[in-house]
Amino acid sequence: MHSILLCLLCLSLISPIYVQKYVPGLYQVKSAQKVYLKPSVSSKIVKTLKKGSILAIDAINGQYGLSSDAHGYISLKDCQLQRSVSSLIEETKVSRETRQLVIVNGPLQKGRYKVSLWTKKATWQESLSTTKAYIGKNGMKRHRHRGDYTTPIGCFRFTYAFGTHNNPGTPFTYKKLNNRSYWYYGNNTYRESDHVIPGEYLAKSRQAYEYALFINFNEYAKVKQAGGAIFLHCYSGHQYTAGCVAIDRKLMKRYMKTIQPAARIIITPHMQDIKNY
């Protein structure tokens, strides 16, 4: 009994190991840091960052952070958090209009982008995310035009849902696609027609449009040359889109069920620009 008590006393005197919890955000490099292709010091070195550099850390993998600025992983042990994504969101005007915010930013590596859903609870928290999303072939652009294969930069709403399957439980107006389904370029809306009309024939891209949400960029085609038909939809095997945002099918289905009509989506290449919305 005496030995058991002694052991318990010794254990109580041992300080618990502190595990640093890292979060996505803007970090300052406190000393020169190597950027790795993978989250390991044995991985290929992509570049070296100078002391004092500030960069976006978009995703956490243990003690490593994946950065869209550095296009690789860095050890966060010698980095200091300057601003979390949560605090950047808190500064936005749009955060006072919604409790759900989807953020698209990057690129990270190999043309992949991050798509994350942030939900307001006591604070803004990341509830769904992926670092394997794809956007327009030619990246992001603030003033895009039809056919330039870019994804629009800005803050938008989701206003319509459709797909090749039955409604998975989205609160948005939902249309199950059929052989008459088009996205009409004339007013940038869904339309059915027995004849070919100027627009995207949705039934042609069945894999991508298993589930989709319309991002209301240039809604009603108010700016004719800006184009439209910008969706958040399923990944279909292509490493880029014509301007939409593509994510894994299972995750897309979860987004369909989770996102509410008051939600907003911010599309920006730079994390620090989130606060401007």
Side-chain angles (χ1 to χ4, degrees):
M1 177 63 74
H2 181 270
S3 60
I4 294 175
L5 291 173
L6 184 60
C7 288
L8 291 174
L9 178 61
C10 291
L11 288 172
S12 69
L13 295 175
I14 299 174
S15 298
I17 298 174
Y18 176 71
V19 178
Q20 173 71 49
K21 183 178 181 181
Y22 300 106
V23 297
L26 299 174
Y27 284 75
Q28 184 175 41
V29 176
K30 294 190 290 184
S31 60
Q33 289 286 318
K34 292 182 174 62
V35 179
Y36 300 96
L37 185 63
K38 298 179 180 180
S40 169
V41 293
S42 61
S43 176
K44 178 182 177 181
I45 298 173
V46 178
K47 65 176 73 172
T48 300
L49 299 173
K50 294 181 180 180
K51 177 182 177 180
S53 300
I54 294 182
L55 71 164
I57 297 298
D58 302 276
I60 307 299
N61 189 321
Q63 69 177 40
Y64 292 89
L66 176 59
S67 172
S68 54
D69 293 332
H71 304 293
Y73 291 87
I74 68 167
S75 172
L76 297 176
K77 291 192 296 182
D78 291 319
C79 297
Q80 184 174 2
L81 178 66
Q82 300 293 301
R83 299 292 305 279
S84 66
V85 173
S86 178
S87 69
L88 292 172
I89 293 173
E90 199 66 56
E91 284 190 24
T92 64
K93 292 181 180 178
V94 73
S95 68
R96 297 190 285 274
E97 302 171 1
T98 182
R99 301 183 69 85
Q100 288 184 318
L101 187 61
V102 177
I103 297 176
V104 182
N105 71 289
L108 303 171
Q109 292 175 308
K110 300 180 180 179
R112 294 174 176 175
Y113 288 72
K114 181 177 181 181
V115 176
S116 54
L117 172 63
W118 291 77
T119 304
K120 179 64 178 292
K121 297 179 181 177
T123 59
W124 284 91
Q125 298 177 20
E126 191 176 49
S127 50
L128 291 173
S129 71
T130 179
T131 56
K132 296 180 180 179
Y134 298 91
I135 68 164
K137 182 178 182 180
N138 294 321
M140 297 181 185
K141 191 176 181 181
R142 187 169 297 280
H143 302 293
R144 75 182 301 274
H145 59 82
R146 184 182 305 283
D148 69 3
Y149 277 69
T150 63
T151 299
I153 293 173
C155 182
F156 311 100
R157 294 173 178 265
F158 298 100
T159 58
Y160 195 85
F162 61 86
T164 59
H165 299 281
N166 292 328
N167 187 340
T170 178
F172 292 91
T173 298
Y174 184 87
K175 181 64 183 180
K176 184 176 180 180
L177 299 182
N178 56 59
N179 292 331
R180 302 173 64 246
S181 298
Y182 287 84
W183 197 267
Y184 177 51
Y185 291 154
N187 58 3
N188 198 16
T189 57
Y190 177 87
R191 179 177 291 187
E192 293 187 0
S193 173
D194 290 320
H195 308 286
V196 176
I197 61 175
E200 182 175 352
Y201 184 47
L202 300 176
K204 184 178 179 180
S205 304
R206 301 190 66 85
Q207 188 175 357
Y209 296 145
E210 288 189 64
Y211 300 107
L213 283 166
F214 172 54
I215 298 170
N216 76 331
F217 165 76
N218 197 27
E219 193 167 21
Y220 307 120
K222 294 177 181 178
V223 181
K224 297 299 181 183
Q225 69 271 22
I230 303 297
F231 312 114
L232 176 64
H233 64 61
C234 300
Y235 173 65
S236 61
H238 300 288
Q239 305 301 302
Y240 59 85
T241 71
C244 297
V245 180
I247 61 176
D248 175 77
R249 176 189 180 278
K250 290 183 179 179
L251 182 60
M252 184 63 214
K253 189 174 181 179
R254 292 181 66 185
Y255 270 76
M256 295 284 282
K257 294 179 179 180
T258 306
I259 294 176
Q260 299 298 309
R264 301 288 194 278
I265 178 170
I266 292 176
I267 302 174
T268 177
H270 306 298
M271 181 186 290
Q272 58 266 36
D273 290 343
I274 291 171
K275 66 180 185 297
N276 297 332
Y277 296 96

